Amino acid sequence: MVIDSATAWTDCLEIIKQNVDEQNFSTWFKPIVPLRAEGDVLTIQVPSQFFFEWLEEHYVPVLRKAIHSVLGENGRLEYSVIVDSGNQRNPPLIVNYPNGAGTKRYNPNQQVNNGSNEEYSPFVLRTLNPANVNSKLNPNYSFDNFVEGDCNRLARSAGLAVAKKPGITSFNPLMLYGGVGVGKTHLVHSIGNEIKKNFPEKIVLYIDQNDFTSQFLNAVQNNKIQDFQSFYMKVDLLILDDVQFLAGREKTQEMFFHIFNQLHQSGKQIIMTSDCPPRDLKGFQERLLSRFKWGLTADLQEPDFETKLAIIHNKMESDGIEIPTEVAEYLAYSVDTNLRDMEGVLNSLIFHATLLKKQIDLDLAKEVLKNIVKEIQSDVSVDFIQKTVADYFKVELEAMKGKIKKREIVIPRQVAMYFCKRFTQLTLALIGENFGGRDHSTVIHALESVEDMMKTDANFKNSVEDLTKKLKMRMAS
Ligand code: ADP
Ligand code: MG
């Protein structure tokens, strides 16, 4: 049968059109260029390797149907893939399937064509110059300023191992998960920076899910999918931050699945972060989730007091600012929302210290805290609560803060603890500190006693309500 490629392909398109929707038809079939028809073989040119794989994965039955009805039962399809579209100095690089070097490729009859074809160059990607690729890494995040604690030890050492041998350890992909502000982003940037330092020839790319998705949607709209995909194929280390937001985004997941497979197969390192472990991710295709579990999954926990303290000192030191220990401790106790709020508080302190030339002390810290951490609305201090409660019950302030166990002292003490819990952001431990170094279980006991007494003793309840008014008046003023 003698048939020219354009006619053969036009006929195929007619059939394909009836089997796929318009959007997919124009995305995946319009860009295809028929190259030649020889015997039973039609060769088409597709714009990228990804394109070829997408067709292979999604459109085999449609293509088979079209090829068989146009070229007959023995009809076969071959792909000519533009791997790199080239530029003024470099010609385009093209590879052919099913003849691509070392690759198992599809043809509609499942016949593998092993014949060598000297017309085509071997499958070699011309390298991008790593120096020209914007890694989107934040140079301020490094292992040096990532404080180690029990909360992040596993994740940090996995990160270090990956940074020493990207793609080689079994930690591929490395999946880091944890709540807001536990240091996931900081840690993955540290890994990226370390790899760039140790392996300047490697192409490192950090991207958060949001940017990845919008780049992909853009590429779809502008028919640039092949560029998008071939760029990602060249990366040696891909960091995808906040992968949980890919939930429900089927097309983007699909694309990521392909990129993931390609990179993983060629020994490239993938690092991802998420706000929960892979098993709890909702809205993900099962096959993608199972990929996430291939390597190592490590969690980061909320930092404990010691780690927070170290983070505070570390940050202030790196900015050349001295922070008195009592201020650092106060912040480590008080900012118990998350480390991002802590960062805000510290930046504001640095601003006050450097630009306004203010002394960093407890008062400044409290003021800053009030402005940054919204939850901390009151400026009622432990001192003020203690004094107000002692006056109200007519007991000695020092006795109330001390160790005396007489009932007439113990009750005011418990009430004062109760208000500290209600009106300050202090932890139970720090409240205990303020009452003669008691531990947090004593404070818990105090809170329970006050609540019990309020239920059973109307007078006592009135007293607590009176005191509440007094303290609130102070807070409002
Ligand atoms: P996540 O991505 O988990 O939400 P980030 O990495 O954005 O958290 O961390 C929030 C803030 O806390 C950043 O300023 C980061 O530098 C800081 N931080 C978190 N963990 C550490 C740590 N272990 N050492 C030093 N700074 C940390
Ligand atoms: Mg983050």
Side-chain angles (χ1 to χ4, degrees):
M1 179 173 16
V2 179
I3 182 171
D4 75 282
S5 61
T7 314
W9 185 240
T10 312
D11 291 348
C12 288
L13 284 180
E14 281 306 314
I15 295 164
I16 293 166
K17 212 174 193 164
Q18 289 157 18
N19 290 281
V20 302
D21 70 30
E22 219 179 291
Q23 162 88 42
N24 282 320
F25 182 77
S26 63
T27 306
W28 299 109
F29 295 95
K30 278 207 181 137
I32 295 175
V33 180
L35 286 188
R36 59 189 165 269
E38 282 164 358
D40 299 329
V41 182
L42 174 66
T43 305
I44 56 171
Q45 185 176 60
V46 295
S48 71
Q49 191 187 341
F50 169 71
F51 212 98
F52 156 70
E53 285 176 0
W54 190 282
L55 291 174
E56 180 189 44
E57 177 130 354
H58 294 87
Y59 297 110
V60 167
V62 172
L63 284 165
R64 180 187 289 136
K65 186 171 171 188
I67 292 292
H68 283 180
S69 64
V70 174
L71 296 181
E73 281 300 291
N74 295 326
R76 277 192 293 132
L77 191 62
E78 283 191 6
Y79 298 87
S80 176
V81 179
I82 303 179
V83 176
D84 186 324
S85 52
N87 55 26
Q88 280 173 341
R89 270 197 261 145
N90 300 298
L93 185 61
I94 288 174
V95 63
N96 262 39
Y97 296 120
N99 294 328
T103 38
K104 271 201 300 225
R105 296 300 169 191
Y106 157 77
N107 82 59
N109 290 333
Q110 307 300 322
Q111 298 169 355
V112 179
N113 176 354
N114 289 322
S116 71
N117 193 334
E118 282 165 14
E119 230 178 303
Y120 301 108
S121 43
F123 184 60
V124 185
L125 271 182
R126 211 174 47 237
T127 46
L128 281 179
N129 181 354
N132 295 339
V133 175
N134 179 359
S135 291
K136 308 218 178 81
L137 286 170
N138 181 341
N140 297 324
Y141 286 148
S142 68
F143 278 107
D144 287 344
N145 60 25
F146 186 81
V147 173
E148 180 173 2
D150 289 342
C151 52
N152 59 36
R153 208 177 307 281
L154 173 66
R156 185 180 175 279
S157 36
L160 266 176
V162 164
K164 289 208 184 92
K165 292 180 172 175
I168 296 172
T169 64
S170 53
F171 306 159
N172 197 14
L174 176 61
M175 176 81 166
L176 303 174
Y177 71 92
V180 172
V182 293
K184 302 181 295 295
T185 297
H186 187 142
L187 183 54
V188 295
H189 278 279
S190 307
I191 302 171
N193 282 320
E194 189 69 18
I195 289 178
K196 270 186 74 167
K197 194 172 82 190
N198 297 341
F199 308 93
E201 76 287 359
K202 290 210 187 289
I203 298 173
V204 176
L205 184 70
Y206 167 90
I207 185 134
D208 69 25
Q209 174 288 142
N210 210 12
D211 288 346
F212 182 82
T213 300
S214 53
Q215 275 183 15
F216 174 63
L217 294 180
N218 244 323
V220 171
Q221 267 164 20
N222 300 313
N223 272 325
K224 288 268 163 61
I225 291 184
Q226 52 271 32
D227 293 352
F228 175 86
Q229 208 263 346
S230 61
F231 173 71
Y232 276 89
M233 290 296 92
K234 291 174 190 167
V235 166
D236 296 300
L237 165 67
L238 177 63
I239 302 170
L240 185 63
D241 203 359
D242 287 327
V243 79
Q244 74 272 9
F245 294 120
L246 278 184
R249 299 186 168 281
E250 291 238 343
K251 288 268 157 53
T252 321
Q253 282 184 29
E254 193 91 349
M255 170 58 94
F256 182 59
F257 180 76
H258 276 271
I259 292 175
F260 185 106
N261 284 344
Q262 287 282 327
L263 292 181
H264 196 271
Q265 267 166 29
S266 38
K268 308 299 180 58
Q269 179 74 45
I270 300 152
I271 301 176
M272 291 172 289
T273 75
S274 152
D275 67 351
C276 64
R279 63 171 179 278
D280 294 342
L281 281 169
K282 299 268 167 344
F284 278 78
Q285 297 160 16
E286 201 40 54
R287 57 183 192 157
L288 195 53
L289 284 187
S290 77
R291 297 286 191 278
F292 290 177
K293 297 173 197 158
W294 277 357
L296 178 78
T297 301
D299 69 331
L300 290 97
Q301 304 273 345
E302 300 279 325
D304 52 31
F305 177 74
E306 299 300 325
T307 313
K308 275 205 250 177
L309 206 57
I311 291 173
I312 294 168
H313 279 298
N314 187 295
K315 162 103 178 140
M316 297 309 261
E317 258 165 40
S318 73
D319 281 77
I321 288 169
E322 249 181 72
I323 180 165
T325 306
E326 62 164 359
V327 177
E329 284 179 353
Y330 169 75
L331 293 177
Y333 269 122
S334 318
V335 183
D336 57 3
T337 45
N338 65 58
L339 284 174
R340 265 188 232 161
D341 288 339
M342 182 72 85
E343 166 107 11
V345 171
L346 295 180
N347 282 337
S348 175
L349 276 180
I350 292 168
F351 169 78
H352 279 87
T354 52
L355 290 170
L356 308 180
K357 304 263 182 277
K358 283 199 195 164
Q359 186 79 25
I360 295 189
D361 55 17
L362 264 184
D363 285 340
L364 180 64
K366 285 179 184 167
E367 194 184 313
V368 163
L369 209 62
K370 204 176 69 194
N371 295 333
I372 303 254
V373 183
K374 302 260 181 338
E375 290 93 312
I376 303 172
Q377 289 147 341
S378 77
D379 61 355
V380 58
S381 66
V382 176
D383 285 352
F384 182 76
I385 291 172
Q386 287 174 328
K387 195 166 173 310
T388 310
V389 174
D391 282 355
Y392 186 88
F393 288 108
K394 301 198 174 45
V395 296
E396 286 288 327
L397 179 61
E398 285 315 310
M400 193 185 79
K401 286 171 20 180
K403 304 239 181 248
I404 300 170
K405 294 216 168 124
K406 278 196 255 162
R407 185 173 164 80
E408 58 270 36
I409 305 283
V410 169
I411 288 178
R413 183 182 296 138
Q414 292 182 329
V415 170
M417 287 178 174
Y418 164 86
F419 281 116
C420 286
K421 178 67 191 141
R422 256 183 83 182
F423 291 145
T424 74
Q425 292 288 309
L426 297 189
T427 58
L428 297 173
L430 198 60
I431 294 173
E433 278 298 302
N434 280 283
F435 290 84
R438 290 175 161 84
D439 67 18
H440 78 286
S441 59
T442 311
V443 181
I444 291 176
H445 174 69
L447 303 179
E448 286 168 355
S449 303
V450 170
E451 273 160 16
D452 284 348
M453 276 192 288
M454 278 168 62
K455 282 182 204 140
T456 52
D457 182 339
N459 279 339
F460 178 77
K461 189 172 178 218
N462 284 340
S463 305
V464 172
E465 282 169 359
D466 269 359
L467 274 164
T468 306
K469 274 186 214 138
K470 280 188 202 304
L471 291 169
K472 281 201 170 156
M473 248 156 60
R474 163 65 182 244
M475 281 154 64
S477 66

